[in-house]
Amino acid sequence: MSVQQTGSRFIRLAITAPLTLLVVLFAISNRQDVPLDIWPFDLDVTFPLYAIVLVSMGVGVIFGAVMAWFSGGRARRRARHAERKVRGLEREMEKVSSTDTDKKDGQQGDAAQSQGQGLVMRT
């Protein structure tokens, strides 16, 4: 395990442990039942206060994450487009590079043949 992973693990633990402790303390100190009236259905349900608050916070976090994901769609689309373009340009570079290499090999072969013929002719 690298030093960076150890530091990252420590920071994660230093943030998660106090937050977990706060949630547990909140749940312990808010155990009283609270009636919850759901208006359109004329439904009256009783839940512990901590459950209502924590579920509401969880729904808010999920809603926020979904909104952040949707708002990042344009950037992800641009990144995919740029990645495809880079791949196409890399393929094109490889084709040009292999064509140049083939031409150079052909020219060197022609030069060697002409030098070889020149040597044969000189003797």
Side-chain angles (χ1 to χ4, degrees), residues 16 18 38 48 66 80 97:
T16 305
I38 302 175
V66 168
R80 280 192 305 270
S97 151

Side-chain angles (χ1 to χ4, degrees), residues 1-16:
M1 188 177 315
S2 72
V3 174
Q4 185 177 10
Q5 288 176 338
T6 305
S8 173
R9 179 178 275 174
F10 175 75
I11 291 171
R12 190 174 0 166
L13 183 63
I15 292 171
T16 305

Side-chain angles (χ1 to χ4, degrees), residues 29-76:
S29 61
N30 291 294
R31 291 183 291 160
Q32 62 270 22
D33 288 340
V34 177
L36 182 64
D37 295 327
I38 302 175
W39 169 68
F41 304 111
D42 194 30
L43 187 63
D44 187 19
V45 185
T46 303
F47 286 110
L49 178 61
Y50 72 88
I52 294 171
V53 172
L54 293 179
V55 167
S56 298
M57 288 174 55
V59 168
V61 166
I62 291 171
F63 181 74
V66 168
M67 294 305 293
W69 185 76
F70 278 124
S71 69
R74 189 178 310 152
R76 286 191 305 275

Side-chain angles (χ1 to χ4, degrees), residues 19-32 48-51 53-54:
L19 286 177
T20 304
L21 181 65
L22 286 174
V23 168
V24 169
L25 290 174
F26 176 80
I28 290 172
S29 61
N30 291 294
R31 291 183 291 160
Q32 62 270 22
L49 178 61
Y50 72 88
V53 172
L54 293 179

